[in-house]
Amino acid sequence: MISGQIIDVPGIKVGNMQDMEALTGCTVILTEKGATGGVDVRGSAPGTRETDLLSPINLVDKVHGIVLSGGSAFGLDTASGVMQYLEERNIGHDTGVAKVPIVPAAILFDLANGNPKIRPDKKMGYEAAKIASSKPFPTGNIGAGCGATVGKFLGFEHCMKGGLGTASIRLNEEIVIGAVVAVNPLGEIRDPSNGKIVAGAYSREKNQVVDFMDFLQQNKEMMIKAGTNTTIGVIAVNAALTKAEATKISQMAQDGYARTIYPAHTMHDGDTIFTLATGNKKVSIDLLGPMAAKVMENAILNAIYSTESIAGIPAHREIFRA
């Protein structure tokens, strides 16, 4: 059973905003007291902001927020709204003359659904930051997952609904690790416990989901353009990590993508995972890494199980209903 949310991690707030007519939105993860950040970009078509700053060899190590957004590269503007919100509250990296909020971001492509001329912008980012809280939030067709889809290797006309998912795992009485993810891959989603497809390319003619691995073995050409997919997520843990350790956790959490998304990390995806460390207790990376991958698995499945059909795009519960 999938349980918990990333807000179970102390120091984490989440805010979601979306436009249900344009079918796009953004998800803001706030760490107002600052968190050590890391990132791993594994796909070949990413859209990101401030990821270079998270490299262990670079100076600033505290992050004040992360933005996951729809709207393709246009959606990176949402981070400016989050920066404005934080600056108004005197939160940011102290340069002596101003406090500069550090807000990395990643985007996914959802322009093929809804209205492609309406994208998440600075105002939407500000509003999402404004409502961010440590209270549980809905998943599925919300935030950055509003216009997300899966299974586009046969073309957008065969896709199924992706969405926003979250989960958490309590390691002991003190340490909690959580994830939030916007699921929007080229490929299909499988349940790692049994290997069964739970969302993918849906053939209306055959009334079935097409198996990507079977499709690939037949050497058929994929009907999709580069840069029109991506799964973007955040791992958070209330442990003490260096930037190098946070980056390693992001790398290991990518195993959660590989276990659920077939295929992951393609030339058509921009798969990215951020890690935020909010605590002061040292925990073994060999413990946190596998748990990060597991909680990311759970969050991806939560996204798929939470989605609802919209704009003619079928969801898991419609196709796989009992």
Side-chain angles (χ1 to χ4, degrees), residues 248-284:
K248 186 61 179 178
I249 295 301
S250 291
Q251 291 177 345
M252 297 175 79
Q254 293 273 9
D255 289 349
Y257 282 11
R259 293 172 191 160
T260 52
I261 301 170
Y262 283 68
H265 314 137
T266 75
M267 297 298 294
H268 304 272
D269 290 278
D271 297 340
T272 300
I273 296 179
F274 298 96
T275 293
L276 298 170
T278 66
N280 54 23
K281 182 180 177 61
K282 295 297 292 185
V283 181
S284 168

Side-chain angles (χ1 to χ4, degrees), residues 23-96:
L23 294 184
T24 193
C26 70
T27 297
V28 173
I29 300 92
L30 292 185
T31 55
E32 295 167 319
K33 294 183 179 180
T36 303
V39 67
D40 184 71
V41 181
R42 195 66 58 95
S44 295
T48 57
R49 170 172 165 161
E50 293 274 43
T51 50
D52 282 351
L53 192 64
L54 299 182
S55 169
I57 66 172
N58 291 332
L59 179 63
V60 176
D61 65 351
K62 293 298 182 183
V63 171
H64 306 100
I66 299 286
V67 181
L68 308 177
S69 180
S72 190
F74 300 106
L76 291 173
D77 193 34
T78 52
S80 297
V82 180
M83 288 185 69
Q84 178 185 341
Y85 173 85
L86 292 170
E87 184 187 22
E88 290 174 354
R89 284 148 185 82
N90 200 35
I91 296 171
H93 174 67
D94 194 349
T95 66

Side-chain angles (χ1 to χ4, degrees), residues 279-302:
N280 54 23
K281 182 180 177 61
K282 295 297 292 185
V283 181
S284 168
I285 301 302
D286 288 330
L287 170 61
L288 293 180
M291 290 298 101
K294 181 61 179 178
V295 78
M296 185 57 76
E297 281 182 33
N298 291 349
I300 289 170
L301 292 176
N302 173 250

Side-chain angles (χ1 to χ4, degrees), residues 5 36 69 71 83 135-136 139 144 148 164 175 184 188 195 198 203 243 257 272 301 320-321:
Q5 296 198 336
T36 303
S69 180
M83 288 185 69
K135 297 179 180 179
T139 54
L164 188 78
I175 303 299
N184 186 64
E188 64 204 17
V198 295
S203 171
K243 286 176 71 176
Y257 282 11
T272 300
L301 292 176
F320 293 91
R321 61 185 180 272

Side-chain angles (χ1 to χ4, degrees), residues 219-252:
N219 297 313
K220 292 183 178 179
E221 182 180 356
M222 289 190 289
M223 305 298 292
I224 199 67
K225 295 181 179 180
T228 53
N229 309 280
T230 280
T231 298
I232 48 178
V234 178
I235 294 289
V237 61
N238 61 328
L241 299 176
T242 64
K243 286 176 71 176
E245 290 171 333
T247 298
K248 186 61 179 178
I249 295 301
S250 291
Q251 291 177 345
M252 297 175 79

Side-chain angles (χ1 to χ4, degrees), residues 100-306:
V100 181
I102 306 301
V103 186
I107 52 86
L108 56 80
F109 184 93
D110 56 9
L111 301 181
N113 307 312
N115 187 342
K117 296 297 184 181
I118 299 176
R119 307 107 178 194
D121 56 11
K122 182 178 180 180
K123 180 180 179 181
M124 182 180 281
Y126 184 93
E127 293 300 320
K130 185 177 179 180
I131 65 170
S133 76
S134 56
K135 297 179 180 179
F137 54 92
T139 54
N141 302 18
I142 192 168
C146 180
T149 52
V150 307
K152 287 157 282 187
F153 55 88
L154 290 181
F156 280 98
E157 65 272 21
H158 294 289
C159 70
M160 286 181 61
K161 190 69 184 73
L164 188 78
T166 187
S168 69
I169 297 173
R170 183 169 293 277
L171 305 185
N172 53 45
E173 293 183 358
E174 297 181 335
I175 303 299
V176 182
I177 187 166
V180 64
V181 62
V183 183
N184 186 64
L186 165 74
E188 64 204 17
I189 308 300
R190 296 181 181 233
D191 184 339
S193 69
N194 54 29
K196 292 183 178 179
I197 300 171
V198 295
Y202 178 64
S203 171
R204 287 171 171 79
E205 295 79 13
K206 297 181 179 179
N207 193 30
Q208 66 181 30
V209 176
V210 177
D211 186 308
F212 177 81
M213 301 308 290
D214 289 346
F215 171 85
L216 194 63
Q217 289 175 354
Q218 295 176 28
N219 297 313
K220 292 183 178 179
E221 182 180 356
M222 289 190 289
M223 305 298 292
I224 199 67
K225 295 181 179 180
T228 53
N229 309 280
T230 280
T231 298
I232 48 178
V234 178
I235 294 289
V237 61
N238 61 328
L241 299 176
T242 64
K243 286 176 71 176
E245 290 171 333
T247 298
K248 186 61 179 178
I249 295 301
S250 291
Q251 291 177 345
M252 297 175 79
Q254 293 273 9
D255 289 349
Y257 282 11
R259 293 172 191 160
T260 52
I261 301 170
Y262 283 68
H265 314 137
T266 75
M267 297 298 294
H268 304 272
D269 290 278
D271 297 340
T272 300
I273 296 179
F274 298 96
T275 293
L276 298 170
T278 66
N280 54 23
K281 182 180 177 61
K282 295 297 292 185
V283 181
S284 168
I285 301 302
D286 288 330
L287 170 61
L288 293 180
M291 290 298 101
K294 181 61 179 178
V295 78
M296 185 57 76
E297 281 182 33
N298 291 349
I300 289 170
L301 292 176
N302 173 250
I304 298 304
Y305 296 150
S306 300

